[in-house]
């Protein structure tokens, strides 16, 4: 676990105990920096974790509960000049390689412990594309693991990096080419697995862009007040693809757009107070698709179940005179476990087990006053256990049977 302001914490499920690791000066087998930004498990050795931070790349041996030497220690030879990295990716194709993104791109070879750093060079047209070097998004291609995609914070553009040739291909905005990348930052890269990258840059309000990897052309979708089938706003923060291939797009205002790739139209779903089958509230906090294909939208004004076949919402809200309704309308999360139990996490209210057909609360799990559940995960080894992350409650193990 990484907890603010960057503490590294180990939780032992067997003993229900936490061990906290913080920076301590001159401790050779301790955490070597004050802040942790990313953690991944080593692809070859599940006993090892890679811990990344500003000036930090360390292995943590789970069996010995000790840190190995910092690979980005400034005293080491051949480390990157700039040690600002915030995202680590374990290569799917070559488990001996880690990719670090932040100030530039770095490849770390675990066997030789050598770094290869890729920074912008104005004399190298096939090098890293943009002079500021700040990478805001990094992903490995879904179908070609030899390709990495890089987006830039500062509006510079998109890079495709071919690991086999070590050539970067640059995609930038060209004002007189409508099929070029739109201007602005690339802070979101979502590979839909069907040949398209979906790009967003909420900081610059630059809409949603589809990049066809085969034709290498861009199609940008912007809000158009005169077109009811356009995207509702230009501040895109997330894209989720459901089982039927429909894209659900979340923007900063909390509204939800549905994009049908076959009709290439956007449909805006928002709350209409006088329409009972509309979205219950426009401030959408969470989206979940259950095993029957229904989409559940948790909002700050209630819970909505969306039927994709009828295009209608069924809404569930708190009713003071009905004890079988939700305790509050502020929904933090929803989750369907392997036993088909449907759980709803609420702000400052008990965890609720809900009937998906009627929306009635079947069971309430009491929590400390003022706390709520914001994340639920079923234990992969014991389906009777749910792991809960919460507001003012921390981290909890819930045993359903008891």
């Amino acid at each position: 676990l990484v907890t603010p302001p960057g503490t590294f914490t180990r939780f032992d499920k067997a003993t229900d105990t936490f061990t906290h690791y913080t920076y301590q000066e001159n401790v050779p087998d301790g955490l070597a920096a004050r802040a942790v930004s990313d953690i991944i498990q080593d692809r070859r050795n599940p006993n090892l974790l890679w811990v990344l931070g500003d000036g930090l790349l360390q292995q943590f041996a789970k069996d010995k509960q000790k840190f190995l030497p910092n690979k980005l220690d400034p005293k080491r030879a051949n480390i990157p000049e700039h040690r600002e990295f915030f995202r680590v990716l374990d290569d799917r194709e070559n488990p001996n390689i880690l990719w670090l993104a932040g100030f530039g791109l770095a490849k770390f070879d675990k066997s030789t412990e050598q770094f290869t750093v890729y920074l912008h060079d104005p004399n190298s047209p096939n090098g890293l594309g943009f002079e500021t070097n700040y990478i805001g998004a990094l992903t490995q291609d879904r179908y070609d693991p030899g390709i990495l995609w890089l987006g830039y914070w500062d509006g510079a553009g998109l890079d495709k990096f071919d690991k086999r040739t070590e050539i970067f291909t640059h995609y930038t905005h060209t004002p007189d080419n409508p099929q070029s990348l739109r201007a602005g930052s690339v802070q979101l890269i979502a590979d839909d697995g069907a040949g398209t990258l979906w790009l967003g840059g909420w900081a610059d309000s630059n809409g949603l862009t589809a990049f066809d990897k085969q034709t290498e052309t861009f199609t940008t979708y912007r809000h158009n007040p005169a077109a009811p089938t356009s995207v509702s706003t230009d501040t895109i923060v997330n894209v989720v693809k459901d089982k039927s291939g429909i894209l659900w797009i979340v923007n900063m205002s909390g509204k939800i757009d549905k994009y049908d790739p076959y009709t290439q139209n956007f449909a805006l779903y928002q709350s209409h107070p006088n329409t009972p089958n509309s979205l219950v509230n426009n401030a959408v906090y969470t989206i979940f698709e259950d095993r029957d294909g229904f989409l559940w939208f948790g909002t700050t004004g209630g819970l909505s179940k969306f039927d994709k076949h009828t295009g209608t919402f069924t809404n569930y809200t708190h009713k003071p005179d009905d004890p079988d309704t939700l305790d509050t309308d502020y929904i933090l999360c929803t989750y369907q476990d392997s036993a088909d139990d449907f759980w709803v996490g609420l702000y400052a209210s008990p965890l609720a087990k809900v009937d998906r057909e009627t929306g009635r609360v079947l069971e309430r799990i009491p929590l400390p006053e003022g706390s709520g559940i914001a994340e639920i995960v079923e234990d992969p080894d014991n389906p009777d256990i749910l792991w809960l992350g919460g507001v003012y409650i921390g981290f909890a193990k819930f045993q359903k049977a008891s």
Side-chain angles (χ1 to χ4, degrees), residues 88-158:
V88 57
L89 186 152
D90 206 350
D91 197 298
R92 295 199 321 269
E93 185 178 41
N94 183 352
N96 204 43
I97 298 297
L98 293 178
W99 296 95
L100 313 181
F103 191 92
L105 179 70
K107 179 174 71 173
F108 178 70
D109 189 312
K110 302 174 192 175
S111 60
T112 64
E113 297 198 349
Q114 294 296 306
F115 289 92
T116 303
V117 179
Y118 304 90
L119 295 173
H120 175 71
D121 180 352
N123 298 316
S124 176
N126 294 323
L128 192 74
F130 307 104
E131 60 184 358
T132 61
N133 291 295
Y134 273 105
I135 299 170
L138 171 68
T139 192
Q140 195 163 16
D141 194 272
R142 286 276 296 273
Y143 287 108
D144 184 355
I147 298 295
L148 299 179
W149 297 97
L150 292 72
Y152 292 83
W153 280 105
D154 51 8
L158 176 75

Side-chain angles (χ1 to χ4, degrees), residues 129-130 155-159 170-175 177 180-183 218:
F130 307 104
L158 176 75
D159 265 1
H170 317 308
Y171 304 93
T172 60
H173 174 63
T174 305
N177 180 5
S180 71
L181 178 64
R182 80 287 185 271
F218 295 86

Side-chain angles (χ1 to χ4, degrees), residues 246 248 258 267-270 272 275-280 293-295 297 304-315:
I246 298 295
W248 297 89
K258 181 182 80 171
L268 171 63
Y269 293 94
Q270 58 184 331
H272 297 285
T275 305
N277 290 328
S278 70
L279 182 67
V280 68
F294 290 99
L295 289 171
F297 296 91
S304 287
K305 180 174 74 172
F306 181 69
D307 187 325
K308 291 181 283 187
H309 301 292
T310 64
T312 58
F313 292 88
T314 303
N315 297 320

Side-chain angles (χ1 to χ4, degrees), residues 254-384:
K255 296 178 181 179
I256 297 294
D257 283 303
K258 181 182 80 171
Y259 176 72
D260 188 331
Y262 304 104
T263 64
Q264 297 191 1
N265 286 330
F266 291 85
L268 171 63
Y269 293 94
Q270 58 184 331
S271 178
H272 297 285
N274 298 321
T275 305
N277 290 328
S278 70
L279 182 67
V280 68
N281 184 276
N282 283 333
V284 177
Y285 197 87
T286 180
I287 305 175
F288 180 81
E289 184 177 16
D290 68 22
R291 284 190 284 276
D292 294 326
F294 290 99
L295 289 171
W296 294 84
F297 296 91
T299 80
T300 59
L303 181 65
S304 287
K305 180 174 74 172
F306 181 69
D307 187 325
K308 291 181 283 187
H309 301 292
T310 64
T312 58
F313 292 88
T314 303
N315 297 320
Y316 307 105
T317 58
H318 170 67
K319 295 179 175 59
D321 57 348
D322 187 347
D324 292 334
T325 61
L326 297 168
D327 289 59
T328 180
D329 289 332
Y330 201 134
I331 313 298
L332 297 179
C333 71
T334 53
Y335 185 78
Q336 184 181 22
D337 65 24
S338 61
D340 209 32
D341 291 331
F342 189 67
W343 301 93
V344 179
L346 306 165
Y347 183 80
S349 295
L351 175 65
K353 184 167 76 172
V354 173
D355 186 317
R356 289 187 297 121
E357 294 296 325
T358 66
R360 314 298 284 177
V361 175
L362 303 175
E363 186 176 355
R364 289 176 172 85
I365 309 304
L367 300 172
E369 184 177 358
S371 60
I373 300 302
E375 190 73 29
I376 304 172
V377 176
E378 183 176 270
D379 192 296
D381 302 317
N382 185 351
D384 183 55

Side-chain angles (χ1 to χ4, degrees), residues 202-217:
W202 53 265
D204 295 323
S205 300
N206 50 20
L208 181 69
T209 298
F211 175 63
D212 187 312
K213 291 187 282 186
Q214 183 174 4
T215 64
E216 297 195 325
T217 56

Side-chain angles (χ1 to χ4, degrees), residues 208-258:
L208 181 69
T209 298
F211 175 63
D212 187 312
K213 291 187 282 186
Q214 183 174 4
T215 64
E216 297 195 325
T217 56
F218 295 86
T219 303
T220 298
Y221 302 94
R222 303 293 295 263
H223 174 62
N224 180 355
T229 58
S230 71
V231 65
S232 61
T233 74
D234 292 329
T235 53
I236 309 301
V237 297
N238 199 8
V239 176
V240 177
K241 183 178 180 181
D242 70 19
K243 299 184 181 84
S244 63
I246 298 295
L247 294 179
W248 297 89
I249 300 152
V250 183
N251 58 65
M252 287 192 71
S253 69
K255 296 178 181 179
I256 297 294
D257 283 303
K258 181 182 80 171

